[in-house]
Structure formats: structure tokens, C-alpha cells
């Protein structure tokens, strides 16, 4: 990971990703304070989008702004961003807090024994450590509804697999590279599958199709296999089975 | 109804792309060559982003059932024929039931677009019909078109009659020089490596797909390592992973990713690059954002008035055509 630095507070860097996307970069680290600044700018821009702004993609430490350069010049976009930053639009409404049902039963925790070996702990301790932590949704990427989560306990900070494992099941709750993740659709992965959730971060046709926003926090609530199956059936019917606190 | 007769992979339905949900990990998809896609649609008076069939090097054959249908074709120099009669690679015509249209890879170009007068009636997903096969959604059941597939049509029209050629000189693009804007992570490379990136010849690898164009050549080296904290990826982003060979991320890219991006192909040259077949040699040339915007504006202005159609004039004579005309001395007696 790139050099750490006192990233909070300073003027961001404006980096061109071609003539139709601008990166506003607040720093170079995975850091909740940097991510807060990204999400604050994201919220401020989308509350009052300049004409020609297409969409924004918040990531750990930068905001990518896709725009139509025939409708919005780079200079006008930079000015709009600086205006939002100066207004201190930084007062982002705190993210929501979610409780996500999660089954660590051996049938749902395909890689937990491997993780236990690598971490030098027993399987139950790995599950307990994972379930006790509070996670921050930093960003999505990689695949539809694939959420990158910070807050993984240090004891579970393992590098990712040297080469990908076969596709994970839907709703896989995973760890790798010092982060946690939820993968909504089966994909080959370099992460370790620790558990499964019956909740679907993305369900086409459900309202809302996307459940959880970047900046939200979540906890995993262990459920047994029978409960998982029952919840999964309800989720398949379009119901939201995670709980949210105001 | 359009019936797919033959398809060997790589043909999908694409509208302008699925925008608005990249923040949730949704790939935009959309056409590999947006200019050719827009040209085919524009030739029929369709909205620029209407759903069209994108055909790759695997080719496609199709027919219409029940009623005639106007279609327009635009893209690379594909070999196209209707019941054996060769058509120019950018053409419009009325396809009648019983006719078979064949689209096959030609001497140049990797993507061909077939637009229809009316609407290909598939359900949008998150507001778009673009197919993203890796996610398994959009288009026809989230997959490539296959033999026997039927595409329902809405508001279908016919009236063009005999084949005409599209007057679209902007589709004659050489892939030799691809313009880029440096960044967003050009600071991960020493100046000498950026110079090398811009002066070396690169060869398009045949392993490319809708997700990425891979380049072969002398590897680049990083000044600050090849690991960055993942950030957003624009179409045309040129990332340089650890082994040093550039990868240009295209329509089916992931919306975020983790390698330094030395430069980004400008919008006006995305199609030019996408159309480069494996083995094509090219160079990159750095331009300013202002130049990239000017090129984009010129492209929009060319499409704006609509596409003129002209009688088919043969500029290229296939051997079958020449034999048929008995024009080759001493070969046909």
C-alpha cells in the first residue's frame, strides 16, 4: 500500500482519467477519515449536481466523477467541487447501522478451517472474532453488490490467496488482504469464505435494489443453518432480512 | 422477430450502457465502439443509444420472420452478405423474411453493429439493455446470442428497399495512433518510462475481449510499485500491472480496481482501439484534455446531421464477385 501521510484536511488532488472522468483524491490510504471526506463530497455533489455530471463512484480515498465534457468543462467541474468543499458540505449524515444475519456453520464456511490454520486459532475463535467486530462499508467494486468492508480484527488480517479459488457461493462473507467483504454473486475469488449471509446486497427488481450504502456500518449476527435456510427463503421472496438501526 | 441462425460466441445486445450504478459495483457494459454503434442507430433515425446487436469476430447469421425490417450495419471491415450478395461494411437495407444476412470477420475490425428500425424488445435491467455476461444480466437472459434465439421487435418498420451504403467516413479509422490523456497515476512511473510508453510500438494481443485490450511489447517498470489503493476506472484506462504490460480496460471493465493507470484513451479513440484485431501494432500519443474534448465534439458534430445513404458502389471486388462477372482474364473461359 502506498506511503502513509497526514491526509486529512489538505486540498485534494485533481487527476484526469481521460476527458470524461475526474478523480478527486484525498489521500493514498485505506482510512475512515479519508473515506468520510470522499463520501461527504459525493453527497454534496449529488444533492445539487452540476449540469453534465453523469455519476460518481466513491472509493476508499478518492471520488471518481464521470461527466459529459461537452456539457460541463473540466474547469467548471473543478470549481463546483471546490465550491462544495468550501461550503464544508462535509456534514454527511452518519451512515446507517446494519445487522446482517450470517451463518458460520461448516457447510457455509468453506474456508474457515484454512483460515484457522493460517491464523493459528480454532474455528470457533475465528468465527467469534469475525462476528464481534463492527465493519465499515468503504466501497463497492469488482462485481455487482461486492462490498469492501474495513474493521476486520488484526488477528484475521491474512494476505489474499496467491491464486483464486473456485467461485464462491452467493452471499459469501469473506476476508482477505486485511479487509472483509460480502460477495453477492458467485465469482472466482482470492478471498477466504468464512460464512454466508442470506441477505442480498443487490437484488434486481427489489426496491431498493441496493440495500447498503458506502459509509454504512454493519455487524454480523450468527444464525444456525435452519435459520439461514428460512431467512434465505424469505430473501428470495424479495424481503429484506437484515435489520437497520436509525 | 429476428431469428439468429448462426453465432459462434461474442454477439450480444448492447445499448449505450448501464450507467448510474457503478457505485454499487455494476459494470456499465455498452458498445466496444460507441461511434460505430451510434452511427448504425443514427442511420435509421433511432436514438443514439438504442439497443443494437454487437457482433464480434465469431460472426453472426440471422433472418427476420413474419415481416420485413430495415436494418443498418456499421463497424469494422467485416464481410457481410445478404443471400450471398456482398454488402459494404456500413450499409442499410430492408431485410425480408426468407433472406439470410451473414456477418463474418474481415481484413480489419473486431466489432460490427446491427441496428434495427424499431426496437429490440428486451427488458431493461437497472435502466439498460446492455448485456454483461460476467454478471449474467442485460440483453437476452444476460448471455451472448446463440443459434435459434429469437429477438422480439416492437414498432418495426421497413421501407429502405435495396441495400445502400452509409456515408460515414469517420468509420475509416487507422489504429496506428491512439490518443491518450496521461494519468490518473502517471506519477507511479519515471519520466523515462512515460516516454517509453509513448514511443514504443505495442502489439494488440489476440486474447482481448469486451473487458480489456491486452498489449504486448517491452514491459514498463514502475517507480512506486504496482499496488495502489483501489480507485475508480474509466473506460479506456490503461493500467500497468506488476509484469509491466499495459492493459486497456474497456466496456466490460470493473468500475473500480487496483493497478496504477498510466493514461486513459480519449473517448474519440476508444472505438479505433476496440476495432484493432490481434497483431495490430500501434503507438500512443499524449494529448491535453482540451484536445480530447475537441475530438469528442468533432465526432458529435459529424453524427448530428444524420447519416446520408448512397447507392452501393463497389470499391472492393471479392474474388467470388469477379469470377461471377467473368472479369479475370484466362481464369474463367
Amino acid at each position: 500500500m502506498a506511503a502513509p501521510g497526514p491526509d486529512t484536511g489538505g486540498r485534494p488532488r485533481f487527476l484526469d482519467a481521460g476527458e470524461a472522468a475526474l478523480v478527486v483524491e484525498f489521500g493514498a490510504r485505506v482510512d475512515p477519515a479519508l473515506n468520510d471526506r470522499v463520501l461527504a463530497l459525493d453527497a454534496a455533489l449529488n444533492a445539487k449536481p452540476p449540469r453534465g455530471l453523469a455519476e460518481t463512484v466513491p472509493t476508499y480515498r478518492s471520488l471518481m466523477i464521470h461527466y459529459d465534457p461537452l456539457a460541463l468543462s473540466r474547469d467548471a467541474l473543478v470549481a463546483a467541487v471546490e465550491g462544495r468543499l468550501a461550503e464544508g458540505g462535509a456534514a454527511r449524515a452518519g451512515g446507517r447501522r446494519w445487522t446482517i444475519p450470517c451463518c458460520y456453520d461448516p457447510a457455509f464456511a468453506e474456508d474457515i478451517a484454512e483460515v484457522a490454520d493460517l491464523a493459528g486459532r480454532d474455528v470457533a475463535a475465528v468465527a467469534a472474532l469475525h462476528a464481534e467486530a463492527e465493519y465499515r462499508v468503504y466501497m463497492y467494486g469488482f462485481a455487482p453488490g461486492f462490498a469492501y468492508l474495513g474493521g476486520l480484527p488484526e488477528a484475521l488480517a491474512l494476505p489474499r490467496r496467491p491464486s483464486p479459488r473456485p467461485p464462491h457461493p452467493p452471499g459469501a462473507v469473506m476476508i482477505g488482504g486485511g479487509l472483509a467483504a460480502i460477495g453477492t454473486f458467485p465469482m472466482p475469488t482470492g478471498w477466504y469464505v468464512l460464512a454466508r449471509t442470506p441477505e442480498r446486497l443487490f437484488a434486481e427488481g427489489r426496491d431498493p435494489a441496493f440495500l447498503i450504502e458506502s459509509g454504512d456500518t454493519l455487524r454480523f449476527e450468527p444464525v444456525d443453518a435452519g435459520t439461514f435456510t428460512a431467512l434465505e427463503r424469505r430473501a428470495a421472496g424479495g424481503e429484506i432480512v437484515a435489520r437497520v438501526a436509525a | 422477430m429476428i431469428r439468429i441462425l448462426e453465432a459462434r460466441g461474442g454477439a450480444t445486445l448492447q445499448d449505450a450502457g448501464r450507467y448510474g450504478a457503478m457505485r454499487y459495483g455494476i459494470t456499465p457494459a455498452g458498445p466496444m465502439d460507441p461511434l460505430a454503434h451510434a452511427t448504425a442507430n443514427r442511420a435509421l433515425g433511432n436514438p443514439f443509444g438504442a439497443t443494437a446487436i454487437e457482433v464480434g469476430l465469431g460472426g453472426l447469421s440471422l433472418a427476420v420472420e413474419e415481416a420485413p425490417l430495415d436494418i443498418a450495419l456499421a463497424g469494422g471491415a467485416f464481410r457481410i452478405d445478404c443471400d450471398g450478395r456482398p454488402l459494404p461494411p456500413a450499409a442499410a437495407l430492408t431485410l425480408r423474411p426468407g433472406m439470410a444476412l451473414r456477418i463474418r470477420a474481415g481484413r480489419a475490425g473486431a466489432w460490427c453493429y446491427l441496428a434495427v428500425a424499431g426496437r429490440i424488445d428486451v427488458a431493461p435491467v437497472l435502466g439498460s439493455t446492455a448485456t454483461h455476461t460476467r454478471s449474467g444480466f442485460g440483453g437476452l437472459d444476460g448471455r451472448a446470442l446463440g443459434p435459434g434465439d429469437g429477438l422480439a421487435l416492437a414498432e418495426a418498420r421497413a421501407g429502405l428497399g435495396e441495400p445502400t451504403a452509409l456515408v460515414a467516413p469517420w468509420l475509416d479509422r487507422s489504429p496506428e495512433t491512439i490518443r491518450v490523456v496521461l494519468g490518473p497515476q502517471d506519477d507511479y512511473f519515471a519520466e523515462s518510462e512515460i516516454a517509453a510508453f509513448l514511443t514504443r510500438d505495442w502489439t494488440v494481443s489476440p486474447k482481448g475481449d469486451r473487458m480489456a485490450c491486452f498489449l504486448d511489447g517491452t514491459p514498463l517498470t514502475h517507480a512506486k510499485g504496482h499496488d495502489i489503493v483501489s480507485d475508480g476506472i474509466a473506460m479506456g484506462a490503461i493500467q500497468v500491472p506488476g509484469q509491466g504490460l499495459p492493459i486497456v480496460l474497456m466496456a466490460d471493465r470493473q468500475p473500480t480496481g487496483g493497478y496504477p493507470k498510466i493514461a486513459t484513451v480519449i473517448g474519440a479513440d476508444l472505438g479505433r482501439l476496440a476495432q484493432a484485431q490481434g497483431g495490430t501494432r500501434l503507438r500512443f500519443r499524449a494529448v491535453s484534455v482540451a484536445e480530447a474534448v475537441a475530438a469528442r465534439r468533432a465526432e458529435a458534430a459529424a453524427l448530428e446531421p444524420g447519416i446520408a445513404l448512397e447507392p452501393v458502389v463497389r470499391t472492393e471486388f471479392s474474388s467470388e464477385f469477379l469470377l461471377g462477372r467473368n472479369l479475370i482474364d484466362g481464369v474463367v473461359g
Side-chain angles (χ1 to χ4, degrees):
Chain A
M1 232 154 256
D7 296 298
T8 44
R11 185 179 185 271
R13 297 206 296 166
F14 293 92
L15 308 171
D16 292 298
E19 80 281 15
L22 182 72
V23 182
V24 184
E25 188 184 276
F26 291 93
R29 291 175 290 121
V30 176
D31 175 308
L34 288 180
N35 192 236
D36 272 342
R37 298 188 66 200
V38 171
L39 296 172
L41 175 62
D42 178 55
L45 273 175
N46 286 301
K48 211 174 57 176
R51 199 176 73 84
L53 184 142
E55 70 180 294
T56 55
V57 184
T59 64
Y60 293 110
R61 44 62 183 255
S62 65
L63 184 69
M64 176 168 270
I65 304 171
H66 295 270
Y67 65 104
D68 173 4
L70 302 187
L72 176 63
S73 74
R74 182 192 193 276
D75 288 350
L77 176 56
V78 168
V81 168
E82 289 186 322
R84 303 299 194 281
L85 293 171
E87 285 163 18
R92 183 178 64 90
R96 289 169 300 173
R97 305 166 75 86
W98 294 89
T99 302
I100 309 285
C102 181
C103 184
Y104 297 89
D105 193 86
F108 297 83
E110 296 177 10
D111 302 336
I112 201 167
E114 206 175 339
V115 169
D117 272 353
L118 291 166
R121 290 168 192 259
D122 65 38
V123 164
V126 168
L129 271 170
H130 184 264
E132 280 159 15
E134 184 175 64
Y135 298 89
R136 174 197 184 89
V137 180
Y138 271 113
M139 60 181 274
Y140 285 86
F142 185 64
F146 188 102
Y148 293 89
L149 315 175
L152 184 71
E154 196 59 36
L156 298 180
L158 305 173
R160 274 185 252 175
R161 293 172 178 281
S163 57
R165 50 152 277 160
H168 63 70
V173 174
M174 300 179 283
I175 64 166
L179 292 164
I182 302 175
T184 299
F185 290 105
M187 291 276 167
T189 184
W191 300 58
Y192 296 92
V193 178
L194 280 197
R196 275 183 69 189
T197 174
E199 187 50 272
R200 297 169 308 160
L201 270 46
F202 166 52
E204 199 223 326
R206 182 184 65 191
D207 185 21
F210 301 97
L211 200 57
I212 292 174
E213 297 292 329
S214 297
D216 287 357
T217 55
L218 51 88
R219 283 180 174 280
F220 294 105
E221 179 179 57
V223 297
D224 61 27
T227 308
F228 176 94
T229 306
L231 291 174
E232 193 180 45
R233 198 172 304 125
R234 284 164 54 192
E239 199 178 324
I240 292 167
V241 298
R243 298 194 311 280
V244 65
Chain B
M1 174 81 85
I2 290 175
R3 184 69 59 191
I4 307 299
L5 305 175
E6 290 176 288
R8 282 193 297 276
T12 55
L13 297 180
Q14 298 295 340
D15 65 5
R18 184 170 287 104
Y19 293 99
M22 278 192 262
R23 63 192 298 115
Y24 300 111
I26 302 292
T27 285
M32 288 291 284
D33 181 350
L35 180 61
H37 182 271
T39 301
N41 271 318
R42 194 77 179 125
L44 298 171
N46 289 344
F48 285 100
T51 307
I53 303 175
E54 181 183 87
V55 183
L57 293 169
L60 187 79
S61 300
L62 57 76
V64 295
E65 295 176 352
E66 295 139 30
L69 175 71
D70 285 350
I71 62 165
L73 298 146
F78 277 62
R79 291 179 298 146
I80 303 173
D81 74 78
C82 186
D83 285 343
R85 177 183 175 187
L87 297 177
L93 70 153
T94 301
L95 202 57
R96 299 180 192 287
M99 291 175 163
L101 183 84
R102 281 199 303 171
I103 303 171
R104 288 171 294 163
R107 60 178 165 77
W111 305 100
C112 172
Y113 295 88
L114 186 155
V116 306
R119 197 159 48 77
I120 298 176
D121 197 12
V122 289
V125 175
L126 298 172
S128 163
T129 61
T131 310
H132 186 225
T133 54
R134 202 172 304 244
S135 299
F137 57 64
L140 190 69
D141 305 328
R143 59 174 174 81
L145 301 176
D149 281 343
L151 300 173
L153 298 166
E155 297 137 45
R157 303 186 308 275
L160 283 173
E162 288 299 296
T164 50
L166 309 192
V167 182
W170 51 85
L171 295 180
D172 292 329
R173 293 162 291 178
S174 150
E176 283 161 27
T177 305
I178 302 295
R179 291 166 291 179
V180 299
V181 171
L182 289 177
Q185 277 97 31
D186 48 324
D187 60 345
Y188 273 69
F189 301 87
E191 258 176 52
S192 58
E193 284 303 293
I194 292 174
F197 167 70
L198 294 172
T199 52
R200 278 179 195 156
D201 278 337
W202 299 100
T203 305
V204 175
S205 158
K207 74 176 173 187
D209 58 13
R210 280 185 43 87
M211 188 169 174
C213 169
F214 297 84
L215 297 170
D216 291 326
T218 308
L220 300 169
T221 55
H222 301 79
K224 294 205 280 182
H226 60 264
D227 240 357
I228 64 163
V229 174
S230 284
D231 68 351
I233 300 180
M235 183 162 171
I238 305 175
Q239 66 174 20
V240 183
Q243 37 78 332
L245 292 177
I247 299 172
V248 191
L249 296 161
M250 299 299 284
D252 280 1
R253 71 196 181 278
Q254 292 154 355
T256 64
Y259 292 109
K261 295 167 276 290
I262 191 170
T264 308
V265 175
I266 72 169
D269 283 357
L270 287 171
R272 188 190 296 270
L273 176 68
Q275 293 289 3
Q277 288 184 357
T280 303
R281 288 161 78 91
L282 57 83
R283 283 190 184 194
F284 293 109
R285 182 161 73 82
V287 299
S288 66
V289 167
E291 285 173 85
V293 174
R296 190 179 272 253
R297 183 168 285 123
E299 210 170 69
L303 284 174
E304 178 57 31
I307 313 288
L309 305 174
E310 64 180 18
V312 173
V313 178
R314 292 191 180 284
T315 51
E316 267 183 88
F317 293 87
S318 71
S319 54
E320 295 91 338
F321 181 78
L322 291 170
L323 286 166
R325 289 272 176 118
N326 196 9
L327 288 176
I328 302 178
D329 279 347
V331 175
V332 176

